[in-house]
């Protein structure tokens, strides 16, 4: 790790040798010293540039457009660019650091990037009670305020088919009557106080069957967000799940 | 700010000396050569240190970074992916929301995500209409057409004396006043606010209730609004027209920002 201010580099001092006269040792020594100094500076610059001026504090003086690799955190590097010669404060999104960046908008609001972390399209059918699709959210995927959204599409197969959704050891029914109908469930799990809070909606293809529990407001689960959390849909009767999408929104 | 074509760097010319005597001419030629090489290396170092910053792209070199300084007080970092120009923008905290990211096809999208999560319960037990949950969207968050907000909120209704109203709003504009049947116990609303042009938004709001009990109405609506996005505008959940003995609460509201294509 090294830093070097590029404006400190200099060209060689111009030195004229008089034609026909011997080259004095002092002249030669001075020139040689000058060359060595210039090469030393260039080597130092390249060493610094090779690691994006890495260090635990940013290089100064500030230089617009320069990169800086912040090594404050052990075994991690956060890459910044200086957008305005007022400091390298515009963080570059990388595979490992992107999740932590509060991205700007046109206003002062910020957001973190998320996306689908699991897409399951392998049909799961039940004849009787059991589990439908399952996905285990790895420990520490979200922090407090982070969100996991699971969406599922189902086909009922029994007059009293139901869907349930569980997180860890806790399971709750989502719909009291899927009754031979197609259904959709959206489960929003928010990290609050170190555990998951779940909110759910269910939409059935028709209300003719008298579906109930189509909205489930807040349910607090014991499952810690710092441990692996198995999230799964299930049914108490014959049912089929066609797809499950799990989205991560930090 | 400076740029330098790295390909123009050349090595020093080999100048062997024969005859045992270094002439001034030989020495001068060598020294001039070394001086020029170091001048070029210094220029290259200065250009590299700011990632070839400038208002126009440097010569095309695959893999080369370019800090575009066209806009005052901003730097857009780009990389040349194919030797045909630095046109692949690097995502940074300040610039990512402006970048139209590629997909496998020709469609593009700009990054977005959640800008607010509220999980502190708020309720209304009186008959006076009131906002129970809101988020102030900062000025210029919707600074371009196609950008939109997606809001999802959950809540409850206790008491079965009368219907309740959940009104979704963007600023002073009402998207819909959803009617909750008296027997409702849980509700969920989602609404969208998309900028159509400066000061004009297309909005849609729908309501899903815990049951399809008779009495619920106005469960889905589209509205065109004219709020000023250059100022802070609130998205809000307002409760109204309920019985004094009933209580309506909002338990959670998530506001998601999407940058559009």
């Amino acid at each position: 790790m090294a830093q070097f201010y590029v404006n400190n580099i200099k060209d060689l001092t111009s030195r004229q040798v008089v034609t026909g006269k011997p080259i004095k040792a002092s002249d030669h020594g001075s020139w040689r010293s000058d060359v060595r100094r210039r090469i030393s500076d260039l080597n130092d610059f390249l060493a610094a540039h090779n690691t994006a001026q890495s260090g635990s504090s940013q290089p100064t003086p500030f230089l617009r457009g320069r990169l800086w690799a912040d090594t404050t955190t052990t075994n991690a590097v956060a890459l910044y660019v200086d957008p305005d010669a007022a400091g390298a404060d515009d963080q570059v999104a990388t595979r490992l650091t992107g999740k932590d960046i509060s991205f700007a908008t046109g206003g002062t609001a910020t957001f973190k990037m998320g996306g689908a972390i699991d897409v399951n399209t392998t049909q799961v059918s039940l004849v009787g009670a059991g589990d439908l699709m399952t996905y285990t959210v790895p420990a520490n995927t979200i922090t407090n305020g982070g969100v996991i959204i699971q969406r599922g599409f189902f086909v009922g197969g029994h007059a009293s088919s139901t869907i349930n959704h569980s997180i860890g050891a806790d399971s709750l029914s989502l719909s009291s009557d899927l009754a031979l109908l197609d259904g959709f469930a959206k489960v929003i799990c928010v990290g609050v106080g170190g555990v998951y809070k779940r909110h759910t909606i269910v939409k059935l293809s028709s209300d003719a069957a008298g579906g109930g529990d189509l909205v489930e407001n807040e349910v607090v689960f014991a499952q810690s967000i710092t441990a692996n959390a198995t999230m799964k849909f299930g049914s108490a009767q014959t049912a089929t799940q066609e797809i499950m999408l799990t989205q991560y929104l930090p | 700010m400076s740029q330098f074509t790295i390909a123009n760097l050349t090595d020093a010319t080999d100048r062997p000396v024969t005859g045992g005597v270094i002439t001034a001419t030989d020495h001068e030629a060598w020294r001039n050569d070394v001086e020029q090489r170091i001048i070029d290396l210094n220029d290259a170092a200065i250009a590299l240190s700011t990632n070839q910053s400038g208002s126009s792209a440097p010569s095309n070199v695959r893999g080369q970074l370019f800090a575009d300084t066209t806009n005052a007080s901003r730097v857009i970092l780009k990389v040349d992916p194919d030797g045909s120009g630095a046109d692949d923008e690097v995502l940074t905290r300040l610039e990512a929301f402006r970048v139209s990211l590629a997909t496998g096809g020709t469609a593009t999208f700009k990054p977005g995500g959640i800008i607010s999560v509220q999980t502190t319960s708020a309720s209304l037990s009186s008959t006076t209409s009131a906002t129970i949950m809101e988020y102030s969207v900062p000025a210029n968050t919707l600074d371009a057409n196609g950008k939109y907000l997606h809001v999802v909120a959950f809540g409850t209704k206790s008491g079965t004396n009368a219907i309740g109203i959940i009104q979704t709003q963007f600023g002073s504009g009402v998207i819909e006043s959803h009617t909750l049947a008296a027997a409702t116990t849980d509700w969920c609303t989602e609404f969208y606010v998309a900028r159509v042009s400066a000061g004009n938004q297309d909005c849609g709001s729908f309501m899903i209730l815990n049951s399809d009990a008779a009495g619920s109405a106005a469960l889905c609506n589209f509205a065109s609004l004219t709020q000023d996005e250059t100022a802070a505008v609130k998205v809000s959940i307002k409760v109204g027209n309920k019985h004094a003995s009933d209580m309506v609460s909002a338990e959670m509201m998530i506001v998601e920002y999407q940058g559009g294509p």
Side-chain angles (χ1 to χ4, degrees):
Chain A
M1 290 190 292
Q3 295 181 335
F4 185 84
Y5 183 49
V6 74
N7 286 10
N8 287 341
I9 63 174
K10 294 182 175 64
D11 295 333
L12 286 167
T13 304
S14 181
R15 300 165 196 277
Q16 294 294 320
V17 175
V18 179
T19 304
K21 296 287 185 182
I23 300 166
K24 291 181 182 176
S26 59
D27 289 342
H28 186 66
S30 172
W31 181 75
R32 205 171 55 208
S33 173
D34 198 7
V35 169
R36 290 176 61 207
R37 177 65 195 208
R38 301 290 81 80
I39 290 175
S40 174
D41 283 351
L42 282 164
N43 288 345
D44 289 347
F45 163 73
L46 287 170
H49 186 72
N50 189 48
T51 61
Q53 301 274 354
S54 66
S56 57
S57 59
Q58 59 178 300
T60 53
F62 300 138
L63 206 52
R64 190 179 184 197
R66 183 172 58 193
L67 286 171
W68 167 49
D70 183 353
T71 58
T72 303
T73 304
T74 304
N75 295 326
V77 160
L79 200 59
Y80 293 86
V81 65
D82 184 340
D84 50 11
D89 60 353
D90 191 6
Q91 189 170 351
V92 176
T94 66
R95 182 177 65 84
L96 296 176
T97 63
K99 66 182 175 56
D100 299 319
I101 298 174
S102 292
F103 288 94
T105 64
T108 56
T110 61
F111 66 91
K112 290 181 177 170
M113 276 200 288
I117 54 176
D118 185 65
V119 176
N120 188 343
T121 56
T122 303
Q123 184 190 70
V124 179
S125 292
L126 292 175
V127 181
D131 293 339
L132 292 164
M133 291 183 180
T134 297
Y135 175 72
T136 299
V137 179
N140 302 306
T141 296
I142 61 169
T143 55
N144 287 330
V147 176
I148 298 290
I149 298 179
Q150 284 197 308
R151 296 174 173 88
F153 281 89
F154 307 87
V155 179
H158 187 275
S160 58
S161 290
T162 61
I163 315 168
N164 56 61
H165 180 267
S166 62
I167 304 177
D170 299 324
S171 176
L172 285 174
S173 174
L174 298 182
S175 171
S176 63
D177 196 352
L178 187 58
L180 300 172
L181 300 172
D182 293 337
F184 165 76
K186 178 164 129 179
V187 181
I188 302 173
C189 304
V190 186
V192 180
V195 298
Y196 286 99
K197 279 188 177 180
R198 193 188 69 181
H199 304 259
T200 310
I201 60 170
V202 174
K203 188 66 181 172
L204 303 179
S205 61
S206 164
D207 56 9
D213 294 340
L214 300 179
V215 173
E216 179 195 63
N217 183 43
E218 180 180 289
V219 175
V220 180
F221 283 75
Q223 174 67 48
S224 169
I225 59 176
T226 61
N228 289 343
T230 299
M231 296 186 178
K232 61 188 176 188
F233 288 99
S235 179
Q237 275 293 353
T238 299
T240 297
Q241 184 168 5
E242 301 289 350
I243 188 169
M244 182 172 74
L245 311 175
T246 305
Q247 188 180 10
Y248 156 80
L249 292 164
Chain B
M1 289 187 291
S2 65
Q3 295 180 332
F4 187 86
T5 302
I6 299 298
N8 288 344
L9 289 174
T10 56
D11 296 331
T13 304
D14 186 24
R15 302 167 194 274
V17 175
T18 57
V21 176
I22 302 170
T23 67
T25 303
D26 289 338
H27 186 69
E28 187 69 13
W30 164 244
R31 204 161 59 191
N32 288 340
D33 195 7
V34 170
E35 285 175 11
Q36 187 57 52
R37 299 292 77 76
I38 288 181
I39 288 170
D40 288 349
L41 283 166
N42 287 346
D43 290 347
I46 290 169
L48 288 176
S49 72
T50 60
N51 296 300
Q52 302 275 4
S53 67
S55 56
S56 59
S59 57
N60 299 340
V61 179
R62 188 178 186 192
Q64 181 175 255
L65 283 172
F66 162 48
D68 186 344
T69 59
T70 304
N71 294 288
S73 300
R74 290 174 51 201
V75 157
I76 302 171
L77 203 58
K78 300 174 181 176
V79 65
D80 184 341
D82 51 9
S84 298
D87 58 356
D88 190 5
E89 194 167 331
V90 175
L91 296 187
T92 67
R93 181 178 66 85
L94 296 175
E95 301 296 332
F97 78 101
R98 295 187 176 96
V99 182
S100 291
L101 297 172
T103 63
T106 56
T108 62
F109 70 98
K110 295 189 179 80
I114 290 174
I115 56 176
S116 173
V117 176
Q118 295 183 55
T119 57
T120 302
S121 176
S123 61
L124 180 71
S125 56
S126 73
T127 56
T128 306
S129 296
T131 297
I132 58 171
M133 199 166 274
E134 65 182 13
Y135 169 71
S136 183
V137 181
N140 299 309
T141 299
L142 301 179
D143 64 342
N145 299 341
K147 295 191 174 186
Y148 70 89
L149 303 171
H150 169 216
V151 182
V152 56
F154 281 78
T156 62
K157 178 178 181 296
S158 61
T160 58
N161 296 289
I163 62 165
I165 298 291
I166 295 290
Q167 186 166 287
T168 52
Q169 290 191 201
F170 181 59
S172 59
V174 176
I175 304 172
E176 180 57 309
S177 294
H178 302 292
T179 301
L180 280 54
T184 299
T185 60
D186 296 277
W187 57 267
C188 168
T189 185
E190 293 194 35
F191 59 99
Y192 295 80
V193 178
R195 174 172 147 156
V196 178
S197 60
N200 290 281
Q201 307 87 31
D202 278 355
C203 307
S205 178
F206 66 85
M207 173 68 73
I208 299 179
L209 305 173
N210 66 292
S211 77
D212 52 9
S216 298
L219 297 179
C220 185
N221 192 46
F222 168 82
S224 290
L225 300 181
T226 54
Q227 303 296 308
D228 177 11
E229 316 96 344
T230 63
V233 185
K234 291 177 179 175
V235 290
S236 53
I237 304 292
K238 192 173 181 180
V239 176
N241 197 34
K242 51 171 284 302
H243 192 276
S245 298
D246 294 350
M247 185 166 74
V248 173
S249 73
E251 303 290 341
M252 179 272 269
M253 183 170 80
I254 294 174
V255 183
E256 181 182 358
Y257 155 88
Q258 287 296 336

